[in-house]
Structures are given as C-alpha cells and as structure tokens.
C-alpha cells in the first residue's frame, strides 16, 4: 500500500519538435491549439482533475510563452472587463493555476526525455510524482492520470500507461515485457526503448503518462545515452524493476499523438466533434469536404 500521495507532476516540454516544423520553429508545439486550447492546457487540466497540487514544467529555449500562458494577462483581463465580456474573463481566470503551484526549470540542452525529467529532481524531492507528456492527448473520462492514481492506490511503486500498438510500430515506443495480468493491470518484467518489431517483447507501448518513485533520480544521474544517443527515461525505469513494484495500466480512452501532424489533425477533428457549440457546423463542413 503506497504511503505517499502523488501531489506533483512534471511536464517535460523542452523537446525541439522537429516533426512539427515549420510550425514549431518559433512557437512551441505545446502551444499549438487543439480546437481552441493549447495542447499543454489539456495536460494541465488532466493533472488538476487527478488531484495534483504542484505543476513543474521543464522548458528550454524559446518556450517562455508557456510561462505566459499560465500567468495573468492584465491588459487582456481589464479589456475583457471593460467590454463586459464576463464569460470570457471568468473562463480565463478559472484556467489559471493557484498562485505558487507552478514552477519552471530549464533543460539547457535537449539531451533526452530522461535528462529532462532529471532536471526536475529538486522540485520533486523524496516523494512519488507523475510525468505527463503533453503530446499524448487522451480523450478519457475519468482522465488517464486519474485512472492511474486509482490503480496506484492498490499497487504503489511505479506505473506506466500502456496501449496495444500494431507490431510494426514498436520501434516508435518504449515497450513492456508483460508478466501477470489482472484486469487492466499488468506486471512489468522488462522495458525496452524502441525495439525492432521482430525482437519486441510485446506490443504494449508506453504512452506519455507515468507515476514514478524518487529513486529513479539516482538511476537517471548515472544513465548513459541510449536509443537515439539520448538519455532515455525507459532505460532508467527498467533498473527499478525487481526492486520496487512496477505495473502497466491499460487505460480507457482515445489517444492522439499531437507531436505528429496526422495525430494532431485527428485530435482537432475528434475534439471539435465533441463540442456542442461547434459540432453541427463542423460536421456539415467535414461531410462536404469528404464528398470531394
Ligand atoms: P519527442 O520524442 O516527441 O521529441 O519527446 P521532441 O523533440 O519533442 O519532438 P520531435 O521528435 O523532434 O518532433 C517526447 C517528450 O519529451 C520531451 C518533449 O518535449 C516531449 O514532451 N523532451 C524530449 C524533452 O523535454 N527534452 C528532450 O531532450 C527530449
């Protein structure tokens, strides 16, 4: 039984976003809107709904607009107030995280996801924490992190969210070697980063949600570069297997990879079709387009 609540989340957002060029040249890909909200805001809302209290962003060069997005915008707020746009103003203010609940640190060189998480170590200290990769936008009720925190109450230790992928896609993901399975929970016996389909231990791929124990930071400290010559989170997590409980959760929900152009476009379509204010006109326009 875990004796510590998960109160903190890390958002590693220092990646260069090369798959999304030229859009990501001057604008962080996390700030691209899905319908009318930046990708990063979906991740923050998911964490808030899961009861997270501290939000730690690991940013890099050119990512400062993410900081501005989670801060007051006084001119805009007073303009909305003067023009009596009360709904817009209320919604902007509701979106703001509580004062003092947000921290930013920088990964000075993009040395890999594992290195980005390690950059947050002083904000985490000696307690379990969550990691969300905002690129993985998941339409789910309850949110994926809420589903994982419910599972964590039973398992403790480390948890990753997984999804079945076609075997030819294993080389794009961290893949688990599964052990005993009970319902949506599978014991993790091994982890491999981006294995070729022929040698992948399963087709269960990690998507961007983790609950991790602070001992991971000692492993990250020693971690040598792996796949893609980057310091891989998967390689350090693998070293905790056998020492601490380690499980995978098959979450319920639809996942869109917003770091990829097609995934991003699909997320926009799926979420727009869910919006009562937009769906009727959008559905009509889409149907006309698909006829051609
Ligand atoms: P990706 O593998 O999607 O890399 O990173 P990327 O640089 O963001 O995008 P591409 O592949 O060049 O298009 C997965 C997650 O890890 C973060 C990214 O910001 C993303 O959330 N990351 C990656 C870092 O924070 N630092 C790094 O050095 C690498």
């Amino acid at each position: 039984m875990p004796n510590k609540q998960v109160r903190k989340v890390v958002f590693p957002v220092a990646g260069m976003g090369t798959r999304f060029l030229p859009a990501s040249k001057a604008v962080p890909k996390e700030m691209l809107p899905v319908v009318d909200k930046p990708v990063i805001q979906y991740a923050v809302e998911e964490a808030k709904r899961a009861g997270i209290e501290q939000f730690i962003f690991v940013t890099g060069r050119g990512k400062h607009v993410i900081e501005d997005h989670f801060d007051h915008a006084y001119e805009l707020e007073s303009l909305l107030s003067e023009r009596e746009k009360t709904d817009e103003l209320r919604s902007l203010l509701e979106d703001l995280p509580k004062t003092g609940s947000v921290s930013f640190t920088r990964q000075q060189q993009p040395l890999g996801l594992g290195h980005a998480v390690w950059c947050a170590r002083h904000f985490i200290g000696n307690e379990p924490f969550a990691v969300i990769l905002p690129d993985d936008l998941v339409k789910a009720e309850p949110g994926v992190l809420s589903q994982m925190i419910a599972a964590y109450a039973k398992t403790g230790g480390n948890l990753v969210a997984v999804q079945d992928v076609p075997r030819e896609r294993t080389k794009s993901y961290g893949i688990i070697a599964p052990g005993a399975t009970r319902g949506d929970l599978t014991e993790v016996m091994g982890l491999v980063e981006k294995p070729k389909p022929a040698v992948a231990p399963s087709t269960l791929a990690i998507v961007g949600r983790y609950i991790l124990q602070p001992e991971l930071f000692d492993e990250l400290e020693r971690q040598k570069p792996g796949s893609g010559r980057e310091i891989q989170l998967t390689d350090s997590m693998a070293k905790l297997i056998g020492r601490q409980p380690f499980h995978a959760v098959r979450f319920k929900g639809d996942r869109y990879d917003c770091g990829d152009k097609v995934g991003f476009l699909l997320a926009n379509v799926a979420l727009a079709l869910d919006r009562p204010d937009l769906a009727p006109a959008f559905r009509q326009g889409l149907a006309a387009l698909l006829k051609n």
Side-chain angles (χ1 to χ4, degrees):
M1 205 49 57
N3 56 9
K4 275 192 181 168
Q5 237 185 306
V6 183
R7 301 183 308 129
K8 300 182 179 179
V9 65
V10 177
F11 301 109
V13 289
M16 304 292 277
T18 55
R19 283 173 295 154
F20 231 113
L21 286 167
S24 53
K25 187 178 170 195
V27 176
K29 62 176 173 175
E30 297 79 12
M31 288 304 294
L32 298 177
V34 170
V35 186
D36 53 5
K37 252 193 272 185
V39 168
I40 185 72
Q41 195 172 328
Y42 290 92
V44 170
E45 286 175 5
E46 182 184 326
K48 265 196 213 165
R49 287 202 308 271
I52 296 290
E53 296 163 12
Q54 292 284 325
F55 307 84
I56 299 136
F57 295 77
V58 181
T59 69
R61 274 184 69 74
K63 302 268 182 168
H64 54 274
V65 287
I66 298 177
E67 261 180 77
D68 292 342
H69 184 73
F70 292 105
D71 198 358
H72 281 283
Y74 287 109
E75 299 91 334
L76 179 62
E77 287 163 18
S78 60
L79 187 101
L80 290 174
S81 163
E82 270 165 36
R83 296 191 182 168
E84 294 179 6
K85 297 203 165 200
T86 42
D87 288 349
E88 288 84 348
L89 180 59
R90 187 177 345 101
S91 136
L92 271 193
L93 296 177
E94 273 169 12
D95 288 344
L96 280 182
K98 281 194 198 133
T99 306
S101 66
V102 181
S103 315
F104 293 86
T105 186
R106 269 168 88 127
Q107 184 191 27
Q108 288 150 316
Q109 286 175 288
L111 298 180
L113 173 59
H115 182 259
V117 171
W118 178 77
C119 289
R121 65 200 179 284
H122 297 303
F123 292 94
I124 300 297
N126 190 26
E127 58 180 285
F129 62 102
V131 175
I132 294 186
L133 307 189
D135 281 358
D136 279 326
L137 196 163
V138 185
K139 198 158 83 71
E141 199 48 57
V144 189
L145 194 59
S146 300
Q147 296 178 37
M148 291 176 78
I149 285 180
Y152 178 74
K154 295 183 222 148
T155 61
N158 302 278
L159 280 170
V160 288
V162 292
Q163 181 181 48
D164 232 325
V165 296
R167 188 160 274 276
E168 66 273 15
R169 301 276 297 131
T170 59
K171 56 184 183 303
S172 303
Y173 293 94
I175 299 288
I176 70 160
T181 296
R182 274 180 62 192
D184 295 336
L185 272 177
T186 298
E187 225 177 309
V188 176
M189 311 305 283
L191 289 169
V192 196
E193 184 61 29
K194 301 191 172 65
K196 294 207 174 93
V199 295
S202 76
T203 52
L204 287 174
I206 303 177
V207 305
R209 304 290 184 278
Y210 313 76
I211 292 178
L212 299 166
Q213 297 300 315
E215 288 74 17
L216 176 82
F217 291 120
D218 301 331
E219 299 305 331
L220 285 171
E221 181 97 35
R222 293 189 277 267
Q223 188 62 55
K224 298 263 180 324
S227 170
R229 275 173 283 145
E230 292 193 336
I231 297 178
Q232 294 290 352
L233 182 62
T234 308
D235 296 342
S236 286
M237 289 193 305
K239 296 190 181 122
L240 299 177
I241 298 171
R243 283 167 45 197
Q244 298 180 336
F246 211 124
H247 292 86
V249 185
R250 288 173 199 248
F251 61 92
K252 293 185 180 66
D254 300 323
R255 171 216 171 220
Y256 302 93
D257 179 2
C258 291
D260 166 85
K261 289 173 187 169
V262 172
F264 175 80
L265 293 170
L266 289 173
N268 270 285
V269 173
L271 272 70
L273 288 174
D274 261 5
R275 284 271 299 262
D277 55 333
L278 303 176
F282 185 60
R283 198 177 286 279
Q284 237 178 32
L286 203 57
L289 270 180
L290 290 172
K291 249 195 245 155
N292 300 330

